Amino acid sequence: MNSEGLRFLSGKMWEDVEIGEPGDGEIRVRNKAIGLNFIDVYFRKGVYKAATMPFTPGMEAVGEVIAVGPGLTGRKVGDLVGYADNPMGSYAEEQILPANKVVPLPPSIDPIVAASIILKGMTAQFLLRRCFKVEPGHTILVHAAAGGVGALLCQWANALGATVIGTVSTKEKAVQAKDDGCHHVITYKEEDFVSRVNEITSGKGVDVVYDSVGKDTFQGSLACLKIRGYMVSFGQSSGTPDPVPLSALAPKSLFLTRPSLMQYTTNRDELLETAGEVFANVASGVLRVRVNHTYPLSQAAQAHADLESRKTSGSVVLLP
C-alpha cells in the first residue's frame, strides 16, 4: 500500500486508513511482527483510557523502515527497528512512528522473537534492575510465572542469583516455570500460595513480589512479604485490586509501587540502555523466548480471548 495502512479495529473489522508520509523526526515502518500484551486488553476494555476513539491497539512491533522524514539522520530505509510502549497503534500493516521511540534491531535476533520480547523484556529489565534491584541472596515471588513477562522475570532473576518462587494455574505451566528457573512452583488452584511461601521461606517472607494478577492475589502478596519488603504491582489481569489503606503497610514497613515502563524510559538514553540489556541477554542465552502462539493479525480478537482465558503461555505474536 502506498498511502494507506491497514489496521485492525474493535476485534471485528479491518479498515483502510490514510497514514500519510513521515514528517520531521518521523519514520514510516512496515510491520513484520506485532507483540500481543495484556496492556492491549486493558485498553480494549477501558481499564486504561485511550487518547482518542476509535483507536488502534498495540504497543509493540518490529518492522522495516520504508520512509524517513525530511532531514532525519540515524535511520534509513531498510533498517529493521523495534518499538514498545507509546505511541499506541501497532495492530497495523504500516505505521508512522517518532524515530526517537524505536530501537535498532540486532541482526542476530529474529523479528518474530524480537516482537515478542521488546516490551516484555524491557518490563522485566526495569522491574528487576531498577524498580527493585534483585541481587544474589534475594528471594522473590513471581505471579503468573509462565506468562510472557513472568517467564522472563524467572529466567533473569535466576541468572542474577535469586531464589525464585513462582505461581501458575496448571501443572503444565508448572513444568515450564521450573524450566525457566523457578526453584519453587506453586499451583495456586491446588494450594494456598501464602501458606506455601511461608513454608518455603521458614516464615521469613520474600524480599519482593512481582504481581501482574491484581485483585485475586494482591492481599496475599502483601502477606508474603518480609519486613521492609517491596510489593511491585505491575498489572491486573484478574481485575483492579481493592483500595489499600496506608495503615496496612505499617506493620512490616512495606514499600508499594505501581510502576510503568514509560516512566522508566523517559529519554533516549534510558530506552537504548534498557533495550540493549534485553537484547544482550537474549544473545547470551540468559533469556529464552518462547513464541508459543502466533495468530494472523485478522484474528486478534481470538488472540485476546485466548490470552484472557489463560489458554496461552509464553509470548503471543500477531502476523500482518
Side-chain angles (χ1 to χ4, degrees):
M1 295 186 177
N2 294 323
S3 61
E4 293 182 331
L6 198 61
R7 69 180 183 178
F8 185 77
L9 291 170
S10 303
K12 299 178 181 178
M13 60 178 289
W14 291 90
E15 180 180 276
D16 285 320
V17 293
E18 289 280 344
I19 63 172
E21 295 304 318
D24 291 343
E26 293 181 331
I27 55 177
R28 181 166 171 163
V29 176
R30 179 178 293 127
N31 287 333
K32 291 179 173 289
I34 299 156
L36 172 63
N37 298 281
F38 228 101
I39 194 171
D40 306 343
V41 175
Y42 298 151
F43 273 106
R44 194 197 81 235
K45 286 187 161 184
V47 176
Y48 297 164
K49 304 301 180 185
T52 60
M53 293 292 287
F55 70 95
T56 301
M59 305 187 76
E60 177 180 41
V62 167
E64 179 182 356
V65 177
I66 57 173
V68 175
L72 184 67
T73 60
R75 298 268 69 85
K76 64 182 186 300
V77 171
D79 284 353
L80 276 181
V81 297
Y83 95 99
D85 219 355
N86 288 318
M88 190 162 54
S90 66
Y91 286 24
E93 289 183 327
E94 297 179 8
Q95 59 188 139
I96 304 291
L97 292 168
N100 66 352
K101 290 288 189 178
V102 304
V103 296
L105 187 66
S108 61
I109 299 181
D110 180 88
I112 291 177
V113 170
S116 76
I117 200 174
I118 295 177
L119 182 61
K120 299 176 186 69
M122 291 203 300
T123 299
Q125 194 276 350
F126 89 78
L127 290 174
L128 291 169
R129 308 302 292 140
R130 290 185 286 157
C131 191
F132 176 89
K133 192 173 178 61
V134 172
E135 296 177 341
H138 283 149
T139 300
I140 78 170
L141 175 62
V142 178
H143 288 300
V149 175
L152 299 178
L153 286 172
C154 294
Q155 293 173 20
W156 203 331
N158 182 45
L160 290 170
T163 297
V164 183
I165 306 170
T167 70
V168 295
S169 58
T170 67
K171 290 181 178 178
E172 291 76 20
K173 290 183 177 181
V175 173
Q176 178 187 308
K178 274 282 190 182
D179 189 48
D180 282 331
C182 278
H183 301 87
H184 307 275
V185 183
I186 301 168
T187 306
Y188 64 81
K189 290 184 177 180
E190 298 179 358
E191 52 190 342
D192 178 66
F193 75 85
V194 178
S195 298
R196 280 291 292 127
V197 168
N198 192 53
E199 291 174 12
I200 292 165
T201 63
S202 300
K204 294 178 182 177
V206 298
D207 293 278
V208 58
V209 177
Y210 292 109
D211 190 333
S212 62
V213 176
K215 187 177 181 66
D216 290 352
T217 54
F218 192 90
Q219 291 297 332
S221 293
L222 289 177
C224 288
L225 289 167
K226 65 168 50 174
I227 291 175
R228 300 198 304 272
Y230 279 71
M231 173 66 184
V232 181
S233 174
F234 69 101
Q236 51 211 43
S237 60
S238 68
T240 304
D242 294 329
V244 178
L246 282 175
S247 58
L249 307 179
K252 292 192 285 187
S253 294
L254 300 179
F255 295 85
L256 168 61
T257 182
R258 180 59 174 88
S260 172
L261 175 62
M262 65 186 71
Q263 273 76 54
Y264 282 82
T265 52
T266 56
N267 57 57
R268 182 72 177 161
D269 288 342
E270 284 184 337
L271 176 63
L272 290 175
E273 180 180 348
T274 304
E277 191 169 352
V278 172
F279 290 145
N281 277 312
V282 172
S284 70
V286 167
L287 296 180
R288 293 175 291 111
V289 186
R290 290 186 187 85
V291 183
N292 288 344
H293 313 273
T294 60
Y295 297 77
L297 180 56
S298 58
Q299 294 179 16
Q302 185 62 52
H304 274 228
D306 290 349
L307 181 67
E308 288 185 88
S309 62
R310 302 195 180 191
K311 292 180 180 177
T312 66
S313 64
S315 295
V316 181
V317 173
L318 307 174
L319 302 175

